Amino acid sequence: MKAYLFVCMLAYRLLAVLQWKLKEASGKEGSWESADMFLRDLAVVQRVEVRFGNEVKTWYLNMTDSVSARLKEIGMSALFKEETRLVG
């Protein structure tokens, strides 16, 4: 029961911080609805890793311009950064 309450409170706090960041970035009221729409848009983003020999490339699919813009507004534009790394 304690773990369940902890997860619920953590989720609520994360949602409240997201709502606060969106309100701070846009200066508009109604950021609960904005946070909900943003989370729905984020839900369709998919991470894909493709291995080419000893290189692994990571891409994020279904990233819309509105998601990218919103991430930039709240200072998290590098969250879904495409990357290439070497594996041994």
Side-chain angles (χ1 to χ4, degrees):
M1 188 66 175
K2 286 182 182 180
Y4 176 76
L5 287 174
F6 173 76
V7 169
C8 289
M9 289 303 296
L10 182 62
Y12 177 74
R13 284 180 168 228
L14 289 172
L15 180 61
V17 168
L18 177 62
Q19 183 262 343
W20 175 74
K21 291 254 231 198
L22 290 171
K23 181 179 177 185
E24 186 178 76
S26 68
K28 299 177 189 173
E29 292 298 321
S31 43
W32 283 111
E33 294 84 12
S34 177
D36 185 51
M37 286 183 3
F38 181 55
L39 288 174
R40 287 175 197 249
D41 291 342
L42 280 177
V44 299
V45 175
Q46 298 175 353
R47 179 181 175 179
V48 175
E49 288 188 357
V50 179
R51 187 175 184 149
F52 299 104
N54 64 343
E55 257 185 14
V56 177
K57 294 192 179 243
T58 304
W59 290 287
Y60 294 92
L61 306 177
N62 301 326
M63 282 287 293
T64 62
D65 291 338
S66 65
V67 169
S68 296
R70 194 57 67 89
L71 286 171
K72 192 173 184 178
E73 282 178 4
I74 63 174
M76 300 183 82
S77 59
L79 184 63
F80 294 116
K81 184 180 78 169
E82 294 178 359
E83 61 183 32
T84 302
R85 66 182 190 279
L86 296 175
V87 294

